[in-house]
Amino acid sequence: MNPAARSISSSIVVGSGTLAISCAQLAMTMGHVIGAALCGDAIFAEWATRANIPCVGSVEELSSFLKAEPVDWIFSVANPFILPPDVFGRVRQGAFNYHDGPLPRYAGTHATSWALLAQETDYAITWHRIDDGVDTGDVVVQRQVLIAPTDTALTLNLKCYEAAIEGFLELLTDLAKGELTAYPQALVSRSYFPRRRRPDAAGCLRWDRSAQDLSAMTRALNLGPYHPNPLGLPKALLDDEVVTVRRLEVLPQRSGLPAGSLL
């Protein structure tokens, strides 16, 4: 038997939410043994417990685990932790991270919202190797995601969710065949969005902007009812009051009234 085509002996999954669960299940279906999980939320932790996967409580515990039980791969999926070299450097074969944006553009957090604010139409998700930087490792899989004019952060995140699983299947298949190809990012084209960054005017709609700009702001900050919104809500200032804008529709013709008029 070709050693490159054997079932992978052991992997660790680090992440959170249902996407981490879906990827872990897919890995197990393809013959991977999940040696441990570092869980970023209760959803992934409860699933791992039911699946009889040992859970480590911190990055430090994961490092200690790897000292005693080396594994072949680490898969990082919706991962809130920064993995240091003494973690990803201990795996025998490699460590990979999922990023919900096209790298090297849109590195960092809330990539889908920033892409909508920029009114992008072509987008992508990326699986890349983990290295010393944040979202800087070599790209191994990239899947295109098209942005529709009506997409919100919620709907774009759902598109990325589906593309992430398809991309992970491609990654696992290439690893099993020993045919993984990787290419370095053109970091000269890199854009990075730190967690602390917020939209202009704290998400307030500015009436000196076009209707398309205001629509983009509203859709980019619509994360739906299922996820917390740390970026801020779209809002309008009416005298001294702040009103949340739940929906904005761009009309086919002008009203003829000054921007910001309340009808």
Side-chain angles (χ1 to χ4, degrees):
M1 179 179 178
N2 181 356
R6 66 179 176 84
S7 294
I8 295 174
S9 60
S10 186
S11 304
I12 286 175
V13 178
V14 182
S16 60
T18 59
L19 184 56
I21 294 172
S22 296
C23 289
Q25 289 174 326
L26 182 55
M28 293 165 67
T29 299
M30 296 188 66
H32 294 235
V33 175
I34 308 297
L38 173 56
C39 305
D41 67 357
I43 295 173
F44 187 36
E46 290 169 1
W47 174 85
T49 300
R50 291 195 302 270
N52 295 318
I53 295 173
C55 294
V56 295
S58 66
V59 173
E60 292 74 21
E61 284 187 32
L62 178 58
S63 179
S64 298
F65 177 91
L66 288 169
K67 287 180 183 178
E69 300 184 44
V71 301
D72 289 321
W73 309 102
I74 288 178
F75 300 120
S76 166
V77 190
N79 171 21
F81 308 102
I82 298 295
L83 299 182
D86 68 344
V87 170
F88 66 79
R90 284 202 172 99
V91 295
R92 287 187 287 252
Q93 300 293 334
F96 302 95
N97 178 64
Y98 163 67
H99 180 67
D100 61 347
L103 295 177
R105 298 185 305 131
Y106 293 102
T109 58
H110 310 301
T112 50
S113 291
W114 294 115
L116 288 170
L117 280 168
Q119 301 181 47
E120 300 278 10
T121 55
D122 291 328
Y123 197 67
I125 61 92
T126 307
W127 285 91
H128 65 93
R129 289 189 180 275
I130 298 174
D131 63 9
D132 293 351
V134 178
D135 299 334
T136 56
D138 290 355
V139 172
V140 293
V141 174
Q142 202 158 63
R143 288 265 175 158
Q144 186 181 29
V145 178
L146 297 179
I147 300 179
T150 56
D151 267 333
T152 64
L154 173 64
T155 60
L156 183 53
N157 284 335
L158 291 173
K159 289 180 179 181
C160 291
Y161 186 108
E162 295 177 353
I165 296 174
E166 294 172 357
F168 189 57
L169 176 59
E170 181 180 343
L171 171 60
L172 293 177
T173 301
D174 289 346
L175 291 177
K177 292 179 178 178
E179 297 178 352
L180 184 69
T181 58
Y183 60 90
Q185 297 183 40
L187 296 180
V188 67
S189 303
R190 174 177 165 90
S191 297
Y192 181 75
F193 296 87
R195 189 177 300 276
R196 66 182 180 274
R197 182 168 174 175
R198 294 294 181 268
D200 292 344
C204 291
L205 303 184
R206 294 179 49 179
W207 306 120
D208 59 345
R209 298 290 179 87
S210 69
Q212 286 72 27
D213 287 348
L214 301 185
S215 172
M217 175 73 78
T218 304
R219 292 181 290 107
L221 298 180
N222 179 3
L223 276 69
Y226 312 107
H227 301 284
N229 181 347
L231 275 176
L233 294 173
K235 56 188 78 74
L237 295 177
L238 302 177
D239 293 329
D240 295 330
E241 299 291 328
V242 176
V243 179
T244 301
V245 177
R246 299 191 181 276
R247 187 173 67 90
L248 187 149
E249 180 182 353
V250 178
L251 300 179
Q253 59 189 20
R254 294 178 177 272
S255 67
L257 297 172
S261 296
L262 184 63
L263 306 182

Short mmCIF file of all heavy atoms in Angstrom, two decimals, residues 143-172:
data_model
loop_
_atom_site.label_atom_id
_atom_site.label_comp_id
_atom_site.label_asym_id
_atom_site.label_seq_id
_atom_site.Cartn_x
_atom_site.Cartn_y
_atom_site.Cartn_z
N ARG A 143 -11.66 28.45 -2.40
CA ARG A 143 -12.93 28.22 -3.10
C ARG A 143 -13.64 29.54 -3.32
O ARG A 143 -13.83 30.33 -2.39
CB ARG A 143 -13.83 27.30 -2.26
CG ARG A 143 -13.36 25.86 -2.22
CD ARG A 143 -14.07 25.07 -3.28
NE ARG A 143 -13.60 23.70 -3.38
CZ ARG A 143 -14.31 22.72 -3.92
NH1 ARG A 143 -15.52 22.98 -4.39
NH2 ARG A 143 -13.82 21.51 -4.01
N GLN A 144 -14.07 29.77 -4.56
CA GLN A 144 -14.73 31.03 -4.90
C GLN A 144 -16.13 31.07 -4.30
O GLN A 144 -16.85 30.07 -4.26
CB GLN A 144 -14.81 31.20 -6.41
CG GLN A 144 -15.37 32.55 -6.84
CD GLN A 144 -15.46 32.68 -8.34
OE1 GLN A 144 -15.63 31.69 -9.04
NE2 GLN A 144 -15.35 33.90 -8.85
N VAL A 145 -16.51 32.25 -3.86
CA VAL A 145 -17.86 32.53 -3.36
C VAL A 145 -18.32 33.82 -4.01
O VAL A 145 -17.63 34.85 -3.91
CB VAL A 145 -17.89 32.68 -1.82
CG1 VAL A 145 -19.29 33.02 -1.35
CG2 VAL A 145 -17.39 31.41 -1.14
N LEU A 146 -19.45 33.78 -4.70
CA LEU A 146 -19.96 34.98 -5.35
C LEU A 146 -20.88 35.74 -4.40
O LEU A 146 -21.70 35.14 -3.69
CB LEU A 146 -20.72 34.60 -6.63
CG LEU A 146 -19.88 33.93 -7.73
CD1 LEU A 146 -20.75 33.59 -8.92
CD2 LEU A 146 -18.73 34.83 -8.15
N ILE A 147 -20.75 37.06 -4.40
CA ILE A 147 -21.59 37.90 -3.55
C ILE A 147 -22.71 38.49 -4.39
O ILE A 147 -22.47 39.15 -5.40
CB ILE A 147 -20.76 39.03 -2.92
CG1 ILE A 147 -19.63 38.43 -2.05
CG2 ILE A 147 -21.65 39.94 -2.09
CD1 ILE A 147 -18.75 39.49 -1.41
N ALA A 148 -23.95 38.25 -3.96
CA ALA A 148 -25.12 38.79 -4.64
C ALA A 148 -25.41 40.20 -4.12
O ALA A 148 -25.01 40.56 -3.00
CB ALA A 148 -26.33 37.89 -4.41
N PRO A 149 -26.11 41.03 -4.91
CA PRO A 149 -26.40 42.40 -4.48
C PRO A 149 -27.23 42.48 -3.20
O PRO A 149 -27.21 43.51 -2.52
CB PRO A 149 -27.18 42.99 -5.67
CG PRO A 149 -26.78 42.16 -6.84
CD PRO A 149 -26.55 40.78 -6.31
N THR A 150 -27.94 41.41 -2.88
CA THR A 150 -28.79 41.42 -1.68
C THR A 150 -28.17 40.68 -0.50
O THR A 150 -28.79 40.58 0.56
CB THR A 150 -30.15 40.79 -1.99
OG1 THR A 150 -29.94 39.45 -2.50
CG2 THR A 150 -30.91 41.61 -3.02
N ASP A 151 -26.97 40.17 -0.67
CA ASP A 151 -26.35 39.40 0.42
C ASP A 151 -26.13 40.26 1.65
O ASP A 151 -25.72 41.42 1.57
CB ASP A 151 -25.01 38.82 -0.03
CG ASP A 151 -25.15 37.41 -0.60
OD1 ASP A 151 -26.10 36.70 -0.20
OD2 ASP A 151 -24.31 37.01 -1.43
N THR A 152 -26.37 39.64 2.81
CA THR A 152 -26.03 40.23 4.10
C THR A 152 -24.85 39.46 4.67
O THR A 152 -24.42 38.43 4.12
CB THR A 152 -27.21 40.14 5.07
OG1 THR A 152 -27.49 38.75 5.33
CG2 THR A 152 -28.46 40.79 4.48
N ALA A 153 -24.33 39.93 5.79
CA ALA A 153 -23.26 39.18 6.44
C ALA A 153 -23.74 37.78 6.79
O ALA A 153 -22.99 36.80 6.69
CB ALA A 153 -22.79 39.91 7.70
N LEU A 154 -25.01 37.65 7.18
CA LEU A 154 -25.57 36.34 7.51
C LEU A 154 -25.56 35.42 6.29
O LEU A 154 -25.06 34.29 6.36
CB LEU A 154 -26.99 36.49 8.05
CG LEU A 154 -27.75 35.17 8.26
CD1 LEU A 154 -27.08 34.31 9.32
CD2 LEU A 154 -29.21 35.46 8.65
N THR A 155 -26.11 35.87 5.17
CA THR A 155 -26.20 34.99 4.00
C THR A 155 -24.83 34.70 3.41
O THR A 155 -24.57 33.59 2.93
CB THR A 155 -27.13 35.59 2.93
OG1 THR A 155 -26.61 36.87 2.50
CG2 THR A 155 -28.54 35.79 3.48
N LEU A 156 -23.92 35.69 3.45
CA LEU A 156 -22.58 35.44 2.94
C LEU A 156 -21.83 34.46 3.84
O LEU A 156 -21.10 33.59 3.35
CB LEU A 156 -21.81 36.75 2.83
CG LEU A 156 -20.39 36.66 2.23
CD1 LEU A 156 -20.40 35.94 0.89
CD2 LEU A 156 -19.77 38.04 2.11
N ASN A 157 -22.04 34.55 5.14
CA ASN A 157 -21.43 33.58 6.05
C ASN A 157 -21.93 32.17 5.77
O ASN A 157 -21.17 31.20 5.87
CB ASN A 157 -21.72 33.96 7.50
CG ASN A 157 -20.87 35.14 7.98
OD1 ASN A 157 -19.80 35.39 7.45
ND2 ASN A 157 -21.37 35.85 8.97
N LEU A 158 -23.21 32.04 5.44
CA LEU A 158 -23.76 30.72 5.12
C LEU A 158 -23.13 30.17 3.84
O LEU A 158 -22.83 28.97 3.74
CB LEU A 158 -25.28 30.80 4.98
CG LEU A 158 -26.06 31.06 6.27
CD1 LEU A 158 -27.54 31.29 5.98
CD2 LEU A 158 -25.89 29.90 7.25
N LYS A 159 -22.93 31.03 2.85
CA LYS A 159 -22.25 30.59 1.62
C LYS A 159 -20.83 30.13 1.93
O LYS A 159 -20.35 29.11 1.40
CB LYS A 159 -22.21 31.73 0.61
CG LYS A 159 -23.55 32.09 -0.03
CD LYS A 159 -23.36 33.23 -1.03
CE LYS A 159 -24.66 33.60 -1.71
NZ LYS A 159 -24.48 34.70 -2.69
N CYS A 160 -20.15 30.88 2.80
CA CYS A 160 -18.78 30.51 3.16
C CYS A 160 -18.76 29.20 3.94
O CYS A 160 -17.82 28.40 3.79
CB CYS A 160 -18.15 31.63 3.98
SG CYS A 160 -17.81 33.14 3.04
N TYR A 161 -19.76 28.98 4.76
CA TYR A 161 -19.87 27.74 5.54
C TYR A 161 -19.88 26.54 4.59
O TYR A 161 -19.15 25.56 4.77
CB TYR A 161 -21.15 27.80 6.36
CG TYR A 161 -21.39 26.68 7.34
CD1 TYR A 161 -21.27 26.89 8.71
CD2 TYR A 161 -21.76 25.41 6.92
CE1 TYR A 161 -21.51 25.88 9.61
CE2 TYR A 161 -21.99 24.38 7.81
CZ TYR A 161 -21.87 24.62 9.16
OH TYR A 161 -22.10 23.60 10.06
N GLU A 162 -20.71 26.61 3.56
CA GLU A 162 -20.79 25.51 2.60
C GLU A 162 -19.48 25.35 1.83
O GLU A 162 -19.00 24.23 1.63
CB GLU A 162 -21.95 25.75 1.62
CG GLU A 162 -23.32 25.74 2.29
CD GLU A 162 -24.43 26.06 1.31
OE1 GLU A 162 -24.12 26.42 0.15
OE2 GLU A 162 -25.61 25.97 1.70
N ALA A 163 -18.88 26.47 1.42
CA ALA A 163 -17.62 26.41 0.69
C ALA A 163 -16.50 25.87 1.58
O ALA A 163 -15.58 25.20 1.10
CB ALA A 163 -17.26 27.78 0.15
N ALA A 164 -16.56 26.16 2.88
CA ALA A 164 -15.53 25.68 3.81
C ALA A 164 -15.53 24.16 3.87
O ALA A 164 -14.46 23.53 3.87
CB ALA A 164 -15.77 26.26 5.19
N ILE A 165 -16.71 23.56 3.93
CA ILE A 165 -16.80 22.09 4.00
C ILE A 165 -16.32 21.47 2.69
O ILE A 165 -15.58 20.48 2.68
CB ILE A 165 -18.24 21.66 4.34
CG1 ILE A 165 -18.61 22.18 5.74
CG2 ILE A 165 -18.39 20.15 4.26
CD1 ILE A 165 -20.05 21.94 6.12
N GLU A 166 -16.72 22.06 1.56
CA GLU A 166 -16.24 21.56 0.26
C GLU A 166 -14.71 21.68 0.17
O GLU A 166 -14.04 20.76 -0.31
CB GLU A 166 -16.90 22.36 -0.87
CG GLU A 166 -18.40 22.15 -0.98
CD GLU A 166 -19.04 23.11 -1.98
OE1 GLU A 166 -18.29 23.96 -2.54
OE2 GLU A 166 -20.25 23.02 -2.20
N GLY A 167 -14.18 22.79 0.64
CA GLY A 167 -12.74 22.98 0.62
C GLY A 167 -12.02 22.02 1.55
O GLY A 167 -10.91 21.54 1.24
N PHE A 168 -12.62 21.72 2.69
CA PHE A 168 -12.00 20.79 3.64
C PHE A 168 -11.97 19.38 3.06
O PHE A 168 -10.98 18.65 3.23
CB PHE A 168 -12.77 20.81 4.96
CG PHE A 168 -12.07 20.04 6.06
CD1 PHE A 168 -10.78 20.35 6.44
CD2 PHE A 168 -12.73 19.02 6.72
CE1 PHE A 168 -10.15 19.66 7.47
CE2 PHE A 168 -12.10 18.31 7.75
CZ PHE A 168 -10.81 18.63 8.12
N LEU A 169 -13.03 19.00 2.35
CA LEU A 169 -13.04 17.70 1.68
C LEU A 169 -11.91 17.63 0.65
O LEU A 169 -11.22 16.61 0.55
CB LEU A 169 -14.39 17.47 1.01
CG LEU A 169 -14.52 16.18 0.18
CD1 LEU A 169 -14.25 14.95 1.02
CD2 LEU A 169 -15.90 16.11 -0.48
N GLU A 170 -11.72 18.71 -0.10
CA GLU A 170 -10.62 18.75 -1.06
C GLU A 170 -9.27 18.63 -0.35
O GLU A 170 -8.37 17.90 -0.82
CB GLU A 170 -10.68 20.07 -1.85
CG GLU A 170 -9.60 20.21 -2.90
CD GLU A 170 -9.70 21.53 -3.67
OE1 GLU A 170 -10.76 22.18 -3.61
OE2 GLU A 170 -8.70 21.90 -4.32
N LEU A 171 -9.11 19.32 0.78
CA LEU A 171 -7.87 19.25 1.54
C LEU A 171 -7.61 17.83 2.03
O LEU A 171 -6.49 17.30 1.88
CB LEU A 171 -7.94 20.22 2.72
CG LEU A 171 -6.81 20.14 3.76
CD1 LEU A 171 -5.46 20.41 3.12
CD2 LEU A 171 -7.07 21.12 4.91
N LEU A 172 -8.62 17.19 2.62
CA LEU A 172 -8.45 15.83 3.13
C LEU A 172 -8.12 14.85 2.00
O LEU A 172 -7.28 13.96 2.17
CB LEU A 172 -9.72 15.38 3.85
CG LEU A 172 -10.08 16.11 5.15
CD1 LEU A 172 -11.41 15.58 5.69
CD2 LEU A 172 -8.98 15.94 6.19
#
